[in-house]
């Protein structure tokens, strides 16, 4: 451990643990905000990617809003000083309790995903004798060409209101005195690296923007969602995603109306690269076919490889004299065959006690951790080192 602490202030904690590099997070946020501001775009952070308190506070300090998918995320955002008028509430399954939490906190907008949700929201708004603002999440039927579990914009996905129900949604809103329609919302999936897909999304958004205009709804907000991917293969070379190219696609292809605001909900691209999972080799199991390195982190600590077949870069932290490499399957200790981090990783000959670092785990890592097998809850540490 002492070796990788060189030039850093990472303390000698017991493994496994998450380690967040706040210096990189700060640079990432700065870049994202700068590029967004060039086009007068607004960023909201999808809290579900990572809710570490220090990370939330830093994101909030950049004037970024909050995109929440549960009542607890709303109260967490408020506790971290995200202003209510920058809080959005999305999700297909908002409970009555969560809707009440959102109304009581006077959040800015509900992103609505079904006709029935509109009716329920209308009832709750009347109950509270208040007006609420909504954006309709339209299912654009676009293939984000990402893993099927993180694709959300196809007709077969549960998300959003399908084309043929939009007129009915408009009717419900027009008949309601408590619901103000302020925007349209799209979110087609996550870990999207092909920016061409966002051009298609712009065309779809333009179509609907115009459609609503024809129906006398001049909308204040076009929300294009999140989904910008990160480079899991080269986390050091591409530690900051190409926000410039991402926002330029929308600046070029989106046809906004005068005074219309353009919003984005970024999760992974803001926090993904700042996180690492530090782990220790417990055992080496040498076989005829394969060598296993059994580490003390498991799918309970990082489920992405098991759930999405995600490949994270794994590096050795313990210094080695030899540069000869051996092929390992790196697996966790959990009683599941899916508990594997990499089928094939070339590393110098490992031994019990060596430290490894799994990169790019800042998004959908710690937040998805479980205590299956009655494991200890994974810890997390932050550092401001220049490392
Ligand atoms: C998860 C989610 C996001 C963030 O997605 P990323 O891929 O992490 O950028 C944005 N909007 C909605 C509605 C989401 O569910």
């Amino acid at each position: 451990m002492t070796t990788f602490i060189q030039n850093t202030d990472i303390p000698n904690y017991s493994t496994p643990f998450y380690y967040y590099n706040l210096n990189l997070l700060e640079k990432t946020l700065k870049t994202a905000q700068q590029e967004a501001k060039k086009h007068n775009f607004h960023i909201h952070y999808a809290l579900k990617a990572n809710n570490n308190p220090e990370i939330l506070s830093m994101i909030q300090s950049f004037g970024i809003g909050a995109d929440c998918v549960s009542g607890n995320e709303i109260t967490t955002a408020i506790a971290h000083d995200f202003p209510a008028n920058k809080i959005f509430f999305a999700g297909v399954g908002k409970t009555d309790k969560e809707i009440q939490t959102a109304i009581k906190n006077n959040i800015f907008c509900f992103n609505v995903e079904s006709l029935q949700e509109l009716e329920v929201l209308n009832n709750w708004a009347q109950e509270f004798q208040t007006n609420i603002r909504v954006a309709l999440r339209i299912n654009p039927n676009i293939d984000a060409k990402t893993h099927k579990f993180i694709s959300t914009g196809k007709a077969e996905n549960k998300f959003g209101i399908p084309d043929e129900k939009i007129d009915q949604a408009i009717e419900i809103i027009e008949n309601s005195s408590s619901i103000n329609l302020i925007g349209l919302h799209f979110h087609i999936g996550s870990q999207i690296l092909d920016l061409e897909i966002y051009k298609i999304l712009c065309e779809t958004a333009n179509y609907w923007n115009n459609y609503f205009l024809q129906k006398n709804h001049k909308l204040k907000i076009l929300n294009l969602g999140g989904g910008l991917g990160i480079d899991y293969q080269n986390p050091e070379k591409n530690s900051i995603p190409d926000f410039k190219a991402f926002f330029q696609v929308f600046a070029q292809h989106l046809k906004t109306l005068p005074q219309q605001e353009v919003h984005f909900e970024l999760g992974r691209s803001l926090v993904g690269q700042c996180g690492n999972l530090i782990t220790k080799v417990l055992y080496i199991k040498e076989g005829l076919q394969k060598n296993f390195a059994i580490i003390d982190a498991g799918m309970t600590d990082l489920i992405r490889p098991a759930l999405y077949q995600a490949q994270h870069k794994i590096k050795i932290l313990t210094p080695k004299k030899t540069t000869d490499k051996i092929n390992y399957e790196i697996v966790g200790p959990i009683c599941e065959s899916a508990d594997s981090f990499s089928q094939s990783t070339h590393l110098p000959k490992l031994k019990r006690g060596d430290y490894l670092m799994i990169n790019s785990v800042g998004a959908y890592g710690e937040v998805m951790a479980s205590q299956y097998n009655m494991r200890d809850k994974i810890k997390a540490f932050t550092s401001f080192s220049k490392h």
Side-chain angles (χ1 to χ4, degrees):
M1 179 72 82
T2 49
T3 50
F4 94 90
I5 302 174
Q6 273 173 9
N7 311 319
T8 85
D9 55 352
I10 303 172
N12 201 355
Y13 295 117
S14 64
T15 53
F17 63 86
Y18 277 90
Y19 154 62
Y20 298 115
N21 178 345
L22 295 185
N23 191 51
L24 176 59
L25 176 65
E26 188 175 46
K27 278 190 203 157
T28 308
L29 295 170
K30 210 175 262 175
T31 309
Q33 267 299 51
Q34 268 170 9
E35 295 303 331
K37 284 199 168 140
K38 280 184 190 165
H39 310 288
N40 215 2
F41 291 164
H42 300 253
I43 304 178
H44 291 78
Y45 170 62
L47 260 77
K48 73 177 191 286
N50 191 316
N51 58 37
N52 176 283
E54 285 174 75
I55 289 180
L56 290 184
S57 294
M58 185 179 281
I59 292 173
Q60 185 279 128
S61 75
F62 274 80
I64 291 171
D67 177 50
C68 301
V69 290
S70 72
N72 291 341
E73 284 191 359
I74 292 171
T75 46
T76 299
I78 287 166
H80 287 83
D81 298 328
F82 285 89
N85 68 3
K86 282 189 185 171
I87 298 180
F88 284 67
F89 186 18
V92 288
K94 302 176 185 77
T95 66
D96 293 299
K97 187 174 166 221
E98 289 173 324
I99 292 168
Q100 291 176 55
T101 300
I103 293 180
K104 282 182 199 152
N105 284 293
N106 195 22
I107 65 147
F108 191 67
C109 182
F110 292 82
N111 292 341
V112 177
E113 305 228 9
S114 68
L115 299 184
Q116 194 167 32
E117 185 189 333
L118 268 180
E119 306 273 13
V120 171
L121 286 175
N122 183 48
N123 291 343
W124 278 116
Q126 282 175 355
E127 180 88 18
F128 279 85
Q129 298 182 346
T130 187
N131 282 310
I132 58 166
R133 291 157 297 273
V134 305
L136 293 180
R137 177 169 181 179
I138 298 178
N139 183 321
N141 196 14
I142 292 172
D143 185 353
K145 300 201 173 67
T146 184
H147 189 274
K148 66 174 192 282
F149 289 176
I150 49 176
S151 181
T152 59
K154 291 193 75 184
E156 71 210 43
N157 298 131
K158 69 181 175 183
F159 300 99
I161 302 171
D163 294 10
E164 66 273 15
K165 300 280 184 197
I166 298 296
D167 285 347
Q168 271 174 272
I170 294 174
E171 209 179 302
I172 295 170
I173 290 166
E174 286 175 350
N175 289 328
S176 162
S177 53
S178 313
I179 296 182
N180 297 330
L181 177 64
I182 61 162
L184 297 181
H185 173 224
F186 304 88
H187 175 67
I188 55 175
S190 200
Q191 185 53 17
I192 298 169
L193 290 167
D194 178 1
L195 295 181
E196 290 294 314
I197 288 160
Y198 286 115
K199 286 186 193 168
I200 304 169
L201 176 60
C202 287
E203 284 159 24
T204 307
N206 291 340
Y207 168 82
W208 286 112
N209 198 16
N210 189 50
Y211 186 88
F212 277 78
L213 190 62
Q214 302 300 317
K215 301 227 162 198
N216 284 323
H217 289 282
K218 191 168 174 290
L219 302 170
K220 185 172 181 251
I221 294 167
L222 283 186
N223 179 346
L224 284 305
L228 175 62
I230 62 172
D231 190 343
Y232 284 99
Q233 275 87 50
N234 305 291
E236 264 162 33
K237 185 163 152 261
N238 295 316
S239 59
I240 298 178
D242 194 350
F243 293 108
K244 185 175 179 168
F246 174 72
F247 288 126
Q248 263 172 0
V249 170
F250 297 92
Q252 272 174 22
H253 297 274
L254 210 55
K255 295 191 188 110
T256 50
L257 304 170
Q259 271 99 54
Q260 199 164 40
E261 290 179 11
V262 179
H263 290 209
F264 294 91
E265 307 157 338
L266 301 178
R268 188 192 311 271
S269 54
L270 296 180
V271 297
Q273 296 290 30
C274 80
N276 299 289
L277 180 55
I278 313 298
T279 172
K280 203 157 69 173
V281 175
L282 290 176
Y283 301 100
I284 300 295
K285 202 154 137 177
E286 288 169 343
L288 288 174
Q289 313 241 328
K290 225 179 207 181
N291 297 307
F292 290 101
I294 301 160
I295 60 176
D296 62 3
M299 64 190 282
T300 47
D301 308 305
L302 177 68
I303 203 175
R304 298 194 67 260
L307 188 60
Y308 310 122
Q309 284 91 49
Q311 301 273 339
H312 289 260
K313 198 103 189 171
I314 302 175
K315 287 188 202 124
I316 184 159
L317 296 171
T318 311
K320 294 278 176 182
K321 289 201 180 75
T322 169
T323 51
D324 295 349
K325 292 192 173 167
I326 294 176
N327 198 11
Y328 291 100
E329 175 169 354
I330 298 178
V331 299
I334 311 299
C335 306
E336 298 284 340
S337 292
D339 186 27
S340 171
F341 290 98
S342 142
Q343 295 292 317
S344 157
T345 297
H346 294 269
L347 288 171
K349 192 174 173 59
L350 294 172
K351 64 172 188 357
R352 176 175 162 84
D354 282 345
Y355 285 95
L356 301 179
M357 170 158 76
I358 305 177
N359 293 137
S360 317
V361 298
Y364 310 109
E366 189 190 351
V367 283
M368 284 190 171
S370 77
Q371 288 178 271
Y372 177 45
N373 285 197
M374 287 186 82
R375 282 168 57 83
D376 291 336
K377 192 169 159 35
I378 186 134
K379 297 175 293 294
F381 303 100
T382 55
S383 156
F384 235 109
S385 73
K386 305 276 187 234
H387 181 59

